[in-house]
Amino acid sequence: MIPAPFTYKRASSVDEAVDLVARDGEDAKFLAGGHSLLPLMKLRLAVPQTLVDIGRLGELSYIRDEGDHIAVGAATTHGELASSGLLGRDLPLLAHAAGQVGDPQVRHCGTIGGSLAHADPAADLPAVVLALDATLVARGPAGSREIAAADFFRGLFETALEPGELLTEIRIGKPAAPGWAFQKFTKRAIDWAIVGVAVQGGRVALVNMDQTPVRAVAVESALADGAAPAEAAAHAAAGTSPSEDLNATRAYREHLARVLVRRALEAAQAAG
Amino acid sequence: MNVTVTVNGSQVEAEVPDRTLLVHFLRDVAGLTATNIGCDTSSCGACTVLLDGRSVKSCTMLAAQADGRSVVTLEGLADGDGELHAVQRAFRAEHGLQCGFCTPGMVMAAVSLLSENPDPSEAEVRTALEGNLCRCTGYHNIVRAVLAAAGERGGR
Amino acid sequence: MSILGTRVVRTEDPLLLTVGGTYVDDLRVPELAGAARVTFVRSPVAHALITGIDVAAAREAPGVVAVLTVADIDDLPPPPPAPEGEPPPGSEAAPLPMGGPWAEPLLAVDRVRFVGEPVAMVLTDDTYAGEDAAELVSVDYEPLPAVVDLDAAVGGETLLFPAAGTNVAVTAGGPADGSAFDGCDVVVERTIVNQRLAPVSMEGRATAASWADGKLTVWVSTQNAQISRFIFAGAFGLDPAAIRVVAPDVGGAFGAKIGADRDAILVAWAAKHTGRAVRWVETRSENLVGMTHGRAQRQHIKIGGTRDGRILAYRNEVIQDTGAYPRMSGFLPFLTGLMASGPYDIGHVETANRVVVTNTTPISAYRGAGRPEATAAVERAVDLFAAEIGMDPAEVRRINLVPPDKFPYSSGGGAVYDSGEYVKALDQVLTAAGYEELRAEQARRRERGDPLQLGIGLASYVEITAADAAGGETAKVMVHDDGTATVYTGSSAHGQGHHTAWAMLVQGELGIPMERVTVLHGDTDLVPLGTGTYASRSLQLGGTAVHLAAVDVKEQARAVAADLLEASAPDLELDTERGVWQVRGDPASSRTWAEVAAHAGPDGLAADANFTDGQPTFPFGTHLAVVELDTETGKVALIRHVTVDDAGTVLNPLLAEGQRHGGIAQGAAQALLEEMVYDADGNPVTGTLVDYAIVTAAELPSFELLSSETPATSNPLGAKGIGEAGTIGATPAVQNAVVDAVSHLGIRHLDMPATPARVWAAINEATARTATREGQ
Ligand SMILES: Cc1cc2nc3c(=O)[nH]c(=O)nc-3n(C[C@H](O)[C@H](O)[C@H](O)COP(=O)(O)OP(=O)(O)OC[C@H]3O[C@@H](n4cnc5c(N)ncnc54)[C@H](O)[C@@H]3O)c2cc1C
Ligand code: FES
Ligand code: FES
């Protein structure tokens, strides 16, 4: 299985990357870790004409303490997130969840920016940035703008990024609300989540319970009203619209969401 | 495009189509056939090599992405005098391979693991190998081998 | 001390661990320089008529050497006519493989019968061009209804082979009149599924071929180079002498690489047809639909006995899904029937089967081939019976296992078991596992309503290995005048460690150190006759042949050494520790193998053996699996697996354990994870390794292997087969453990694989049942 032919270009700066993609328009794509894009291209489910490699841009790969927030470069790999001392201390949810993505080889290549931009409903980090209420920074030919995580995921594999816009940074406010947990339910360790839950403080986000990652709003409001984890978790599937596949019926996903949310809330309580 | 990769310490340079996958660059251009291809969905790990010291699946990377970087394959693991790496020795001593098809990738994944975590527990070894499929060994002796190699290297 | 029976590390490994194996894709031999790549165009639909194939665009694409369809196959002999008096469909005596109306073409002619069926071949200068050009081949399909469901297959509303008039290719065994169960206090029956699996050897199928000067050379990833040669000879109407088949390193096979299949024949044909060397290495997506699948039985089991635990009657009625072409005919369910009653002494045993075609990938042997299906069925039946009479499943097994004084034992299934210590194997496992304590822990967890429940599963088994022992195996042993030896074996290695084992046998018999023994296999120019590897036959047949040839060489050498030492042959002895010949008790007289071989004259020291006197052997054992089952999510984790697998005398425990480990993992994976799923239209749903869930290290515990050796009596090594035992025992043990973990909820059976979704659904239903009952 081989990708259809395309032209490869390596950008030497963020500006150049944005330029190169703007020049080739519709048929050009950014290539970060390549661990979502290349598998699709090998199966010829994606056939871009041009790839602009941003994977090696040092200016997109960092984890920095900016005082009131932590800034993560979009091309930072899952592995770097997982092993970051700074995140381990201040944002363990992100570090821990990144450590659950795929396998070590995938984590050595795949990036947070790629994961968010790809917006797979079964991916882990999109739900995590929702639970963290992160702010995403995008750069396009017209300059930079900030997008709230809550506004970023628009549909199945669809985000608020305009064509040609590059995700450059993920900002997460400090200090994080106390208590966090991440629950990922899979058949095998290597698998994508059948259902997942990210909790930070009173914010709860779900993996694979809809076309996009979603906040479990009903759970959050129950918590805000003082409900205990088990009570709040009963609302986990409210308002969701999970798909059916080989691994789960809709009813099973809804059930899993309730169980996992309860477990996550209990773990968060214990951690907080 | 023109791609230059330092493979097992030597520079390999070639003009290849942009879409060339690293695994084919290694096998067909560099002529190193230890690295195998076991799937087309990045699932099996048979193609695992070290890129700048870290395990990657060479079927899910363009040769162009490795341009200017350094790759180590199974063939480059033993030292210059042919002295086997501790992981290679342990795989033999513990019978960590049967048909050998998964072995190059499995060994490289294990080497990468031990460089990140020199003293893993059995459970850590098992999860660290989650991206490498073996159909022959049931993993039992592979896990023994990785633990033995860690022990030998003074991890424990 | 003899090297036999010791843990010798493998001679194969140094290469595999430094430069890797040389699989078909790795061959850099001159004959294959510039070989064209073959890319198959395969049917994307399960059942359709082909109304047109347009290859014009593909032929024009860059790098294309040739595009071949069935219209190009004009140079092959017609397939052999249907055998005289072709048995009517539905006969027990159907030939293997089936011809006549069931014949399988090479490239699809006017109809495709499964997704993945080869329709055309594209030959290109390189792989990349091949995939591009294959996309340009346009095939017009007129869809037909797909037959996927077994009942639909039996019903026969849509026929795969209209000329056959039925989808039922084989029927064997009579209908039940029920009288066998007269006199039983308790009878339980149930329909269960032994699901379809994909073998997924890590190296898929691969073939390369060159045709030069009237000679065809084929490199193929196979378990049987010699059998493959006869297959090619038959297909091409060539004298076998004009064909060389080489099996280079083979990256796993598990029964799915027996001989050469139609894809391999096509690749070899393409080389002959175009005159260009060619190479084909399938992709994994191709492998998951193109390589044969295994298992795929629906079984109706019925078991009866007394309230105090004595099993009196058992019936297993099988519907074998054979996929689109009955390649194995009735063989797999025949083996299932032969081993139906397993290790139990049951008075009345009945079996019956029907083999049906469906629009799915053809079924063939997969690790165990018919026997795991028998064991899974009877082990479920025994547990169902135990649950019905409220007796501990270990106790029911103990009561019914064939006792040691009954061997040789003629089973109800029709086999004669050679030797065994079945109860001892059971007890050994129970003791090592701490069965009583496990049951106590289970009770505690049930008591406190722990969401993580414990399940304990047992499986006692007996299997048949080297079922075709009379087919024999060949070996040749030569000792050279430099003191080294060469072994030529008809057996074939793909991971089992034949080279190590055969060299050990030579060292053990001749005292020539293993390092000085070269083992050659899998090249018909070197070893023209042989059978190869399947059905766990290698050591007991191929190893015995090596042993016999070595003994023969030894006797030749004795005569030569006598001449050399001017002594009489009976006065000579071979010191196998030092590897020297000497006059008995006189080390000073010693002569090395080199000296003796040099003195042997022009023919040197060499002996051939073909061991055909063997008998099938019956390895046995018990597996105990412990699972932890999360009742809230349905997820199951295998946390312990304890086994006795008695395969007679063990030559090299390291190798034997390796076979057991691999088998256990594959068996456990069937119970928990794997299933090849098709949708109602015959499209594979699990067509990649993302969806077809191969077990990884992270899902498995370390295994607890106990040793037990009850020598076989039918070969001088005392060996039985070990290749399939792990798979046969593990699947039902794990499945029984899963059911056991939820049995307190009133669940008696769960089909495999026990995926979280399936387990949760069963728990959910059971809980709802209880709630309704309590509400009433
Ligand atoms: C075997 C395997 C298992 C996996 N398992 C998991 C899992 O369990 N959980 C999980 O969450 N993920 C999993 N993944 C996906 C993995 O996390 C990917 O790395 C990630 O989804 C994409 O990141 P990337 O850097 O590889 O992106 P790429 O593949 O390079 O790009 C993905 C898409 O995003 C675009 N893109 C990339 N970067 C940017 C950017 N900065 N700005 C704008 N657009 C951009 C690309 O153009 C492309 O369309 C798995 C992948 C594999 C191969
Ligand atoms: S070949 Fe399977 S992961 Fe690379
Ligand atoms: S040794 Fe055969 S696949 Fe691992």
Side-chain angles (χ1 to χ4, degrees), chain A residues 149-164:
Chain A
D151 299 329
F152 188 75
F153 302 102
R154 292 288 168 82
L156 197 63
F157 301 107
E158 230 186 272
T159 68
L161 289 173
E162 297 292 332

Side-chain angles (χ1 to χ4, degrees), chain B residues 35-109:
Chain B
T35 307
N36 290 320
I37 302 172
C39 74
D40 39 24
T41 47
S42 316
S43 310
C44 77
C47 62
T48 302
V49 300
L50 303 183
L51 178 73
D52 293 340
R54 291 208 176 82
S55 60
V56 299
K57 293 179 172 175
S58 62
C59 71
T60 312
M61 175 164 286
L62 302 172
Q65 287 175 285
D67 178 40
R69 301 167 80 172
S70 136
V71 168
V72 178
T73 68
L74 182 77
E75 291 98 329
L77 204 52
D79 72 10
D81 305 330
E83 170 82 10
L84 296 189
H85 187 281
V87 171
Q88 289 169 304
R89 282 199 303 275
F91 265 65
R92 183 167 190 217
E94 302 292 334
H95 189 28
L97 63 157
Q98 292 184 24
C99 79
F101 198 81
C102 71
T103 309
M106 198 65 84
V107 166
M108 300 319 281

Side-chain angles (χ1 to χ4, degrees), chain A residues 1 33 36 105-106 110 112 119 138 149 152 159 164 174 195 207 253:
Chain A
M1 293 278 177
S36 287
Q105 292 94 315
V106 170
I112 181 169
F152 188 75
T159 68
K174 262 181 65 183
V195 174
V207 178
R253 279 212 161 81

Side-chain angles (χ1 to χ4, degrees), chain A:
Chain A
M1 293 278 177
I2 315 292
F6 57 84
T7 305
Y8 171 89
K9 298 177 180 172
R10 189 181 309 133
S12 53
S13 68
V14 167
D15 290 340
E16 190 189 348
V18 172
D19 243 30
L20 286 172
V21 165
R23 212 177 302 158
D24 286 343
E26 287 283 280
D27 295 329
K29 272 192 167 297
F30 296 114
L31 175 71
H35 271 51
S36 287
L37 189 50
L38 291 177
L40 288 177
M41 289 172 62
K42 284 169 70 179
L43 299 173
R44 304 208 174 182
L45 297 174
V47 208
Q49 303 291 303
T50 306
L51 288 187
V52 174
D53 189 354
I54 57 164
R56 278 197 237 177
L57 294 177
E59 50 176 320
L60 286 180
S61 174
Y62 54 84
I63 303 166
R64 280 199 292 259
D65 190 340
E66 301 281 0
D68 64 340
H69 70 273
I70 287 176
V72 176
T76 309
T77 64
H78 306 314
E80 288 159 351
L81 298 175
S83 61
S84 154
L86 173 59
L87 293 185
R89 195 178 60 243
D90 288 352
L91 270 184
L93 170 60
L94 181 55
H96 175 82
Q100 304 292 302
V101 173
D103 56 45
Q105 292 94 315
V106 170
R107 296 195 288 273
H108 288 147
C109 294
T111 68
I112 181 169
S115 182
L116 301 182
H118 191 60
D120 189 320
D124 301 309
L125 298 188
V128 169
V129 299
L130 274 188
L132 290 173
D133 206 16
T135 300
L136 311 185
V137 184
R139 171 101 60 96
S144 277
R145 63 178 179 127
E146 295 185 2
I147 310 167
D151 299 329
F152 188 75
F153 302 102
R154 292 288 168 82
L156 197 63
F157 301 107
E158 230 186 272
T159 68
L161 289 173
E162 297 292 332
E165 236 181 351
L166 178 73
L167 190 59
T168 55
E169 189 173 278
I170 295 90
R171 291 181 189 155
I172 302 131
K174 262 181 65 183
W180 67 275
F182 186 69
Q183 290 274 333
K184 177 175 183 175
F185 188 79
T186 60
K187 209 154 64 172
R188 301 173 301 165
I190 173 69
D191 291 327
W192 294 71
I194 295 175
V195 174
V197 181
V199 171
Q200 184 80 54
R203 278 191 302 267
V204 181
L206 302 172
V207 178
N208 220 7
M209 285 301 289
D210 218 318
Q211 307 261 358
T212 65
V214 288
R215 291 267 289 271
V217 186
V219 175
E220 292 180 359
S221 54
L223 285 176
D225 293 344
E231 276 172 85
H235 306 286
T240 63
S241 178
S243 59
E244 306 226 340
D245 56 26
L246 182 67
N247 291 318
T249 58
R250 186 180 165 136
Y252 182 45
R253 279 212 161 81
E254 292 175 346
H255 168 78
L256 283 175
R258 289 188 287 267
V259 173
L260 298 179
V261 166
R262 193 200 75 229
R263 289 181 181 180
L265 291 176
E266 284 166 357
Q269 217 167 44

Side-chain angles (χ1 to χ4, degrees), chain A residues 10, chain B residues 1-5 12-17 25 63-68:
Chain A
R10 189 181 309 133
Chain B
M1 70 176 279
N2 188 279
V3 171
T4 307
V5 184
V12 179
E13 186 185 346
E15 189 64 34
V16 296
F25 184 88
Q65 287 175 285
D67 178 40

Side-chain angles (χ1 to χ4, degrees), chain C residues 32-261:
Chain C
L32 292 176
R37 275 277 163 176
V38 174
T39 307
F40 278 98
V41 176
R42 295 179 183 278
S43 174
V45 291
H47 200 192
L49 297 176
I50 297 178
T51 53
I53 304 181
D54 182 357
V55 299
R59 282 209 172 112
E60 296 308 311
V64 171
V65 175
V67 182
L68 306 171
T69 68
V70 68
D72 299 289
I73 307 184
D74 52 8
D75 49 353
L76 292 185
E84 212 35 52
E86 165 82 5
S91 160
E92 191 162 355
L96 176 79
M98 300 182 85
W102 308 95
E104 182 167 8
L106 288 174
L107 284 170
V109 182
D110 50 9
R111 184 191 275 256
V112 288
R113 295 185 176 86
F114 67 99
V115 171
E117 178 153 17
V119 175
M121 305 170 79
V122 179
L123 275 59
T124 51
D125 292 326
D126 71 47
T127 319
Y128 286 32
E131 292 202 9
D132 297 344
E135 287 194 328
L136 302 175
V137 174
S138 132
V139 184
D140 296 325
Y141 296 102
E142 188 183 309
L144 296 169
V147 180
V148 179
D149 178 70
L150 294 184
D151 294 321
V154 172
E157 194 175 319
T158 301
L159 295 178
L160 272 74
F161 300 87
T166 172
N167 290 322
V168 182
V170 181
T171 303
D177 67 2
S179 63
F181 292 83
D182 291 352
C184 293
D185 304 341
V186 178
V187 176
V188 195
E189 60 187 310
R190 173 140 218 155
T191 298
I192 63 175
V193 174
N194 202 292
Q195 81 272 28
R196 174 184 283 258
L197 302 179
V200 194
S201 50
M202 288 315 299
E203 181 207 25
R205 296 173 300 162
T207 305
S210 88
W211 169 257
D213 309 322
K215 181 152 184 175
L216 180 68
T217 307
V218 190
W219 295 262
V220 56
S221 187
T222 178
Q223 304 174 211
N224 324 77
Q226 290 78 11
I227 293 177
S228 300
R229 183 165 73 129
F230 288 108
I231 292 174
F232 294 128
F236 305 143
L238 284 174
D239 180 350
I243 302 176
R244 175 185 176 208
V245 175
V246 180
D249 284 334
V250 172
F254 311 111
K257 293 181 182 172
I258 295 176
D261 64 7

